Amino acid sequence: MLNIVIFGPPGSGKGTQSENLIKKYNLAHISTGDLLRKEISTNTQLGALAKSHMDKGELVPDDVIIGMIDSYLDRMGNVNGVIFDGFPRTVAQAQALKELLASYKTSVAVCLNLEVPNDELMTRLIERGKTSGRSDDNEETIKARLDVYDKQTKPVLDFYKKEGVAVNIKGVGSIDAIFADIADAVDSKNK
Ligand code: B4P
């Protein structure tokens, strides 16, 4: 299986480039952010819990997220591989993913680390906020999310470096040019 973690700070283009990955490699896709927003829009209990964290720019607790991934993998059926978009965001989530995938006799083939400077992230997310309707796309919450990324999420990259699967991708430039680098990285890990 070709399992890909698409990694990077908020607004680095994880969702955007996942769309391109799905088309090129015919993979299943799981975005924890999208799943949480779906729970919020359908007014579930989980959605209410998620909203209370997301509105402050905080991460949703690990046990909730890991439970979502577990049940997704349980239902996934026969696929060529999975794109994990916005997950893992903590080392505990990365460790849990490793164990879950091992139970299916598979592992993460590549972790694509999208590198984008903070001022560009802020510009993109403020711009997205004009149309997204997302309650976390405002300056104050974006600052909190960038801080959470530095403290809680960045260490995940060291986890994947130790696993020997991390690849840095320059995440600034045209979406197509960035995807060309992404495809080269995936192809070189998928020989
Ligand atoms: P996510 O939904 O994962 O969203 P994101 O990090 O904001 O966005 P992404 O990187 O996908 O950016 P996009 O492609 O849209 O997370 C939201 C929240 O959910 C988190 O803060 C957290 O609270 C919670 N959550 C989710 N997963 C969790 C987990 N595992 N554990 C705990 N909590 C979790 O790109 C952004 C914008 O840039 C778009 O408008 C796009 O058009 C633009 N863009 C993309 N590429 C560009 C380029 N090359 N040039 C110019 N603009 C570009």
Side-chain angles (χ1 to χ4, degrees):
M1 277 172 79
L2 175 59
N3 300 311
I4 299 173
V5 168
I6 185 142
F7 185 83
S12 54
K14 301 183 292 290
T16 305
Q17 296 296 347
S18 288
E19 298 294 322
N20 288 331
L21 282 166
I22 295 164
K23 281 186 214 137
K24 184 169 169 83
Y25 296 98
N26 190 26
L27 301 171
H29 173 232
I30 178 164
S31 157
T32 41
D34 287 351
L35 285 183
L36 294 168
R37 281 185 287 278
K38 203 167 161 199
E39 295 285 339
I40 294 171
S41 69
T42 49
N43 293 314
T44 64
Q45 219 177 349
L46 195 157
L49 172 77
K51 186 167 168 36
S52 70
H53 292 281
M54 289 165 80
D55 281 358
K56 288 185 269 180
E58 296 168 0
L59 296 181
V60 174
D62 283 339
D63 56 340
V64 173
I65 300 286
I66 293 164
M68 274 174 23
I69 297 287
D70 192 5
S71 73
Y72 173 82
L73 292 175
D74 207 33
R75 288 179 280 112
M76 120 189 114
N78 223 345
V79 296
N80 295 331
V82 182
I83 301 162
F84 295 94
D85 166 6
F87 172 88
R89 265 176 154 96
T90 63
V91 173
Q93 292 180 17
Q95 187 60 41
L97 180 62
K98 183 177 176 170
E99 287 161 22
L100 283 170
L101 290 179
S103 72
Y104 293 90
K105 303 204 177 341
T106 186
S107 59
V108 169
V110 60
C111 169
L112 302 162
N113 173 38
L114 294 173
E115 297 181 301
V116 179
N118 277 10
D119 54 347
E120 167 76 9
L121 297 171
M122 184 58 86
T123 307
R124 287 184 190 180
L125 292 175
I126 295 275
E127 194 54 37
R128 184 174 70 182
K130 291 179 187 164
T131 54
S132 68
R134 279 177 54 166
S135 54
D136 57 353
D137 280 348
N138 59 77
E139 190 170 347
E140 193 189 339
T141 313
I142 295 164
K143 277 188 186 148
R145 290 165 65 196
L146 292 173
D147 195 43
V148 164
Y149 173 78
D150 276 338
K151 294 196 173 101
Q152 293 176 256
T153 304
K154 246 188 189 168
V156 172
L157 193 57
D158 293 325
F159 179 95
Y160 286 117
K161 277 187 189 154
K162 280 189 203 132
E163 299 274 309
V165 297
V167 180
N168 292 334
I169 304 285
K170 186 170 161 265
V172 181
S174 79
I175 290 167
D176 287 348
I178 296 166
F179 187 65
D181 290 344
I182 286 178
D184 284 347
V186 171
D187 292 341
S188 71
K189 292 279 180 188
N190 190 34
K191 274 180 184 153

